Amino acid sequence: MIRRALIYLGFTVALALFVAGALRADTSMKLPPEVRQWYFNTDGSCVQCTLGMLGVWANMPQASTLLWDTPYGPAERGGSTPSRVGAYARARRIPAYNVTGETTVEWLEWAARTGRHAGVYFGFAHFQTEYGRGPGYWLVCDNQTPHEIHRYTHEQFVRKHRSSGLWCVILDTPAPPEPPIYTQWWR
Amino acid sequence: MKRFLLELLCVTIVAALIGFLATFAAAQNVSPQAIDEIARRGSYVEAIGPPADDSHKWFISVIGQPNCPACQSLKHDFATSPHLRPFVNAQTPAESWAHYHVFNVQDQTQAWRWRGIKVKTTPTIIVQPPRNEQFGNPATVVLQIDGYNGDAEKLADTLRAGIRRYTEPEAGALFPRLFPNRPNILPQPTVVPEPTPTVEPPPFVVPPAIDVDVVPPPMPDVQPEPAPAPEPESEPAAATTGDDALIDLVVSLLGKSRSESLDTILLIVLVVLTLRNGGINGKVNAIVKAREAVSRVDAK
């Protein structure tokens, strides 16, 4: 029993290291795990957790503070609908594309390509963060496990999104820069 | 047999119910009305389709702080100066040559963004290449300008010269060699000196620093609790009971048919089923039952 558990543990660690290594080269949001952890979903506020994460990425405090009472507005907690998102986005002056219907995948592609990324209806009554896009796959951050980044093939992603509900939200702001690094490009 | 089927049905229903409830309880975050509303709205957004792809735009970021006169002057010049308009159109971002962002160096929600560079003063201007990687890694600092003396024309010249140097043919030829594959651009654990605030705190309170009435502020070390798993005992118990019923059935059939080959097959099934119950007891039972069956076949 212990031997089997150790084998499973070793396998899991090896797999996790492999996935983590693979993810480092992806084009995606670059939020550190400790920042994503701020948006851990404790009370069914998945839409606001997702928008908060997007707000930090986009440098938009009126979105990143959605979950708490701040000068930007009262805390928004609990389940959401497109109309509720529209209402509090207007109240807090959060510019956003609140998209429903058949074009959501097209919008998600645009959001990932331009580096804005998106909140996406993904899973049973659940909203998650579209975290990255690569050739043939998508990365998704679930606010119930924000320390993890999940990888889906394009087909899996579209199927799961379509079976959940055609709704996504994209912050309408200039795309944020990647965390800058020094490179000696002049050499 | 009937008992076995009933137990199997019960176990299946209970397992399905537990799975459904666990999923429902864990993930009911979008209101049930959302599905109806999505259907009612149909294809609806304030625009017909996604805007044009702007991943070819450069990035110009200003890192400043409130009540910093040079920062205010720089932001004002980016908004109004004709010298800087070719680089940034702050009023109409869609028409701007670069994605323009103003960051507050005191904003703790953005501190992670600057781990890879050193911000010595405010304002600091950071220029980065486009996201489409036409000019290499978009995380690269093409130009960092520390401070601003109020001369918009000179700033425009500096921006122009820095970008030209990066994109000129000699330097441009380096992109494929420098960035054959995109390097790791995760923030590196560089020690960044803490900025020393010399002026008033920002006009707003950043999330981690405020008192939150609704829930406590997010704790970095909070780990999500694992979802309760269904009790694992029920299924093996049902399987054992089911096997027993099957064994009884096979034993009752043994020796009643006129075909020896059918008896042999039933014998093998019997041994497999009894062994599947596991343990020494299972083996003993298998041998005992097989012997009984064989003796019955011999008697026949």
Side-chain angles (χ1 to χ4, degrees), chain B residues 39-56:
Chain B
R40 190 167 59 248
R41 284 166 63 113
S43 295
Y44 177 72
V45 70
E46 275 76 20
I48 300 299
D53 182 354
D54 57 4
S55 59
H56 62 280

Side-chain angles (χ1 to χ4, degrees), chain A residues 44 46 57 83 125 144 176 178, chain B residues 26-27 29 37 113 131 144 182:
Chain A
C46 64
W57 173 245
S83 59
Q144 288 174 339
E178 299 229 357
Chain B
N29 292 313
E37 189 178 329
R113 203 183 285 275
R131 188 172 300 278
Q144 175 169 343
R182 193 169 173 186

Side-chain angles (χ1 to χ4, degrees), chain B residues 32-292:
Chain B
Q33 294 90 344
I35 290 289
D36 294 337
E37 189 178 329
I38 290 168
R40 190 167 59 248
R41 284 166 63 113
S43 295
Y44 177 72
V45 70
E46 275 76 20
I48 300 299
D53 182 354
D54 57 4
S55 59
H56 62 280
K57 288 188 177 183
W58 287 63
F59 293 92
I60 295 180
S61 307
V62 171
I63 308 170
Q65 58 182 323
N67 300 326
C68 153
C71 304
Q72 300 302 326
S73 169
L74 178 62
K75 283 195 284 184
H76 178 264
D77 285 351
F78 264 125
T80 58
S81 168
H83 298 291
L84 296 174
R85 180 61 60 88
F87 297 97
V88 167
N89 187 335
Q91 273 76 34
T92 317
E95 295 175 7
S96 180
W97 176 80
H99 290 305
Y100 173 66
H101 276 275
V102 177
F103 295 90
N104 178 1
V105 75
Q106 297 171 347
D107 184 351
Q108 293 174 17
T109 69
Q110 296 298 314
W112 56 273
R113 203 183 285 275
W114 315 120
R115 287 178 189 168
I117 61 169
K118 288 178 182 171
V119 180
K120 297 171 191 166
T121 184
T122 56
T124 294
I125 304 168
I126 303 287
V127 179
Q128 292 173 253
R131 188 172 300 278
N132 66 6
E133 304 192 29
Q134 180 188 357
F135 295 102
N137 185 352
T140 304
V141 175
V142 171
L143 191 61
Q144 175 169 343
I145 303 169
D146 297 324
Y148 180 59
N149 62 3
D151 189 342
E153 188 175 1
K154 189 180 174 189
L155 174 61
D157 288 341
T158 308
L159 288 171
R160 195 176 294 113
I163 293 168
R164 185 181 295 153
R165 187 177 170 211
Y166 183 76
T167 56
E168 67 190 358
E170 294 78 20
L174 288 176
F175 297 143
R177 198 166 67 242
L178 272 176
F179 307 107
N181 293 308
R182 193 169 173 186
N184 172 24
I185 53 176
L186 285 175
Q188 300 300 309
T190 311
V191 178
V192 181
E194 285 292 322
T196 50
T198 54
V199 293
E200 306 248 336
F204 58 89
V205 185
V206 290
I210 60 172
D211 292 324
V212 181
D213 295 334
V214 179
V215 292
M219 300 296 290
D221 57 346
V222 169
Q223 291 298 323
E225 292 178 7
E231 288 295 326
E233 284 80 14
S234 55
E235 202 171 341
T240 307
T241 315
D243 282 350
D244 285 342
L246 269 177
I247 289 165
D248 291 343
L249 179 68
V250 172
V251 168
S252 67
L253 287 175
L254 257 174
K256 287 183 180 172
S257 80
R258 293 178 182 177
S259 164
E260 281 189 20
S261 55
L262 183 59
D263 282 336
T264 311
I265 292 170
L266 286 172
L267 210 54
I268 293 169
V269 171
L270 177 64
V271 171
V272 170
L273 281 174
T274 45
L275 283 177
R276 219 178 70 156
N277 279 338
I280 298 296
N281 291 337
K283 286 175 186 171
V284 170
N285 286 338
I287 292 163
V288 169
K289 285 178 182 176
R291 274 187 180 171
E292 286 173 4

Side-chain angles (χ1 to χ4, degrees), chain A residues 24-28 30-32 34-35 37-47 55-61 64-65 67-72 75 77-84 96-103 106-107 110 112-116 121 124-127 143-147 164-167 173-187, chain B residues 20 23-24 26-31 33-35 37-38 41-55 59 61 93 99-103 107-110 112-118 126 128 131 133 137-142 144 162 165-166 171 174 178-179 182 184-187 204-205 207-208 210-220 222-225:
Chain A
R24 289 168 78 89
D26 283 318
T27 302
S28 63
K30 301 294 183 301
L31 293 178
E34 66 269 21
V35 172
Q37 196 67 33
W38 295 342
Y39 300 97
F40 174 48
N41 183 10
T42 56
D43 59 356
S45 305
C46 64
V47 177
V56 170
W57 173 245
N59 184 34
M60 192 185 285
S64 64
T65 56
L67 289 170
W68 302 278
D69 286 321
T70 66
Y72 295 97
R77 294 273 174 172
S80 267
T81 60
S83 59
R84 186 183 171 199
Y97 296 110
N98 195 8
V99 187
T100 58
E102 290 297 325
T103 59
E106 192 184 342
W107 280 88
W110 174 80
R113 188 167 57 249
T114 59
R116 288 172 173 86
Y121 201 171
F124 179 71
H126 197 32
F127 216 71
N143 42 66
Q144 288 174 339
T145 52
H147 54 287
S164 310
L166 296 171
W167 176 28
T173 175
E178 299 229 357
I181 54 167
Y182 296 128
T183 308
Q184 294 185 334
W185 54 264
W186 55 90
R187 280 193 174 178
Chain B
F20 176 77
T23 309
F24 192 76
Q28 194 188 13
N29 292 313
V30 179
S31 301
Q33 294 90 344
I35 290 289
E37 189 178 329
I38 290 168
R41 284 166 63 113
S43 295
Y44 177 72
V45 70
E46 275 76 20
I48 300 299
D53 182 354
D54 57 4
S55 59
F59 293 92
S61 307
H99 290 305
Y100 173 66
H101 276 275
V102 177
F103 295 90
D107 184 351
Q108 293 174 17
T109 69
Q110 296 298 314
W112 56 273
R113 203 183 285 275
W114 315 120
R115 287 178 189 168
I117 61 169
K118 288 178 182 171
I126 303 287
Q128 292 173 253
R131 188 172 300 278
E133 304 192 29
N137 185 352
T140 304
V141 175
V142 171
Q144 175 169 343
R165 187 177 170 211
Y166 183 76
L174 288 176
L178 272 176
F179 307 107
R182 193 169 173 186
N184 172 24
I185 53 176
L186 285 175
F204 58 89
V205 185
I210 60 172
D211 292 324
V212 181
D213 295 334
V214 179
V215 292
M219 300 296 290
V222 169
Q223 291 298 323
E225 292 178 7

